[in-house]
Amino acid sequence: MVNVYIDRRFRKMNNFKQKYGPWALVTGASSGIGSEFAKQLAAKSLNLILVARREDRLNTLAADLKKEYSIETRVVPADLSKEDFLPDIKSSISDLEVGILINNAGFTKTGPLVENTLEDELKLLHVNCRAPLILAHEYGRQMKERQKGGMIFLASTVAFAAVSSWTNYCASKAYDLMLAEGLAVELKKYGVDVLALCPGFTRTEFIELPKITNAMAMDVEPVVKLALKKLGKTRFTVPGLFNKFATFSTRWQPRALNSFIYKQVINPAQHFN
């Protein structure tokens, strides 16, 4: 019985590698959800292209995963807020076949939009929207030609409702959600799967959570596990029962009420940040 279970698990893992291997490109891989994606993909025997600004962290993660899972890695330090980031990535991995793209990198800027600097708000758009678009266009074309592959975009539960003091961030995540859903339809006939992952609060370095919000937050492991499980089965997924209920409720509540409710939930974290 144990041997049968192991055999099924191995075949499932091997099917994943055949569909989405041999290399996974993960942005924002130096911490949080991105780092967890790297770990779970390595456990599925995919080789890793790790992209982020903090090269020292990427090197440490790469060494650990190579040792534990006997995979290959390629570290690519890059700032996705820069307009010319793509040539550096392409030149670093021109010899590799990207089978799955994890568009994970992103950040928020808290505060009223007009009180933040335009430079910071544009930087947010570059990282959260422009970079995922560029990478999806570049590697999506390659996947289409090969008739296989996958992409996961990190959206958010705030993609479903505007929240003041996170105005631009919510808009950027709505963009990621819509981009992923549209691409999922366009590329399905070519054997390429696309998914938007919409987590709520997750325990990462992304934001320091006060006690009340931390109690509602999820660990990164089940969030990433769900995304990899749902890839190819749906166009978007929301981890956690509370988050599922919150996003589902936006379909029948007035938009102004949605924004008010989301603000009450998010407000403690905004002020604590």
Side-chain angles (χ1 to χ4, degrees), residues 201 203 209-218:
F201 282 118
R203 298 182 184 96
L209 299 171
K211 289 182 180 180
I212 188 171
T213 312
N214 188 55
M216 300 163 53
M218 294 183 64

Side-chain angles (χ1 to χ4, degrees), residues 89-266:
I89 294 178
K90 288 177 64 176
S91 64
S92 299
I93 63 171
S94 59
D95 57 324
L96 307 181
E97 180 181 306
V98 177
I100 184 170
L101 167 65
I102 310 296
N103 267 321
N104 166 78
F107 74 98
T108 187
K109 183 67 179 176
T110 300
L113 181 71
V114 297
E115 294 180 14
N116 295 333
T117 67
L118 180 58
E119 180 182 6
D120 283 343
E121 297 295 349
L122 288 174
K123 184 176 181 180
L124 184 152
L125 281 183
H126 277 285
V127 176
N128 293 13
C129 300
R130 181 177 179 272
L133 170 64
I134 289 173
L135 291 169
H137 187 269
E138 176 67 27
Y139 295 104
R141 287 187 301 166
Q142 297 178 21
M143 295 175 192
K144 177 185 173 182
E145 291 175 2
R146 293 194 298 267
Q147 303 280 292
K148 68 171 187 174
M151 289 185 272
I152 296 177
F153 290 75
L154 195 74
S156 170
T157 54
V158 299
F160 297 89
V163 180
S164 61
S165 295
W166 271 2
T167 299
N168 196 22
Y169 176 69
C170 294
S172 74
K173 290 305 173 180
Y175 173 85
D176 291 333
L177 174 60
M178 296 298 107
L179 181 62
E181 286 197 279
L183 275 173
V185 175
E186 293 177 357
L187 295 177
K188 183 177 179 60
K189 60 185 176 182
Y190 301 107
V192 180
D193 300 324
V194 184
L195 174 78
L197 173 62
C198 303
F201 282 118
T202 310
R203 298 182 184 96
T204 71
E205 292 180 4
F206 180 73
I207 189 170
E208 189 177 1
L209 299 171
K211 289 182 180 180
I212 188 171
T213 312
N214 188 55
M216 300 163 53
M218 294 183 64
D219 291 326
V220 293
E221 189 273 336
V223 170
V224 171
K225 184 177 181 180
L226 179 68
L228 296 179
K229 178 182 178 181
K230 291 294 186 178
L231 181 61
K233 298 180 176 66
T234 185
R235 288 182 283 178
F236 79 92
T237 190
V238 180
L241 290 176
F242 175 82
N243 297 323
K244 283 182 170 65
F245 173 78
T247 54
F248 179 78
S249 68
T250 62
R251 300 180 184 182
W252 49 268
Q253 292 174 165
R255 295 184 65 83
L257 180 58
N258 290 333
S259 294
F260 175 79
I261 293 173
Y262 268 68
K263 179 63 176 177
Q264 305 317 303
V265 175
I266 292 171

Side-chain angles (χ1 to χ4, degrees), residues 38-56:
K39 293 173 184 176
Q40 293 195 28
L41 289 167
K44 294 181 181 293
S45 298
L46 269 70
N47 302 316
L48 297 171
I49 302 160
L50 305 174
V51 178
R53 292 174 300 161
R54 296 177 288 189
E55 186 175 4
D56 56 337

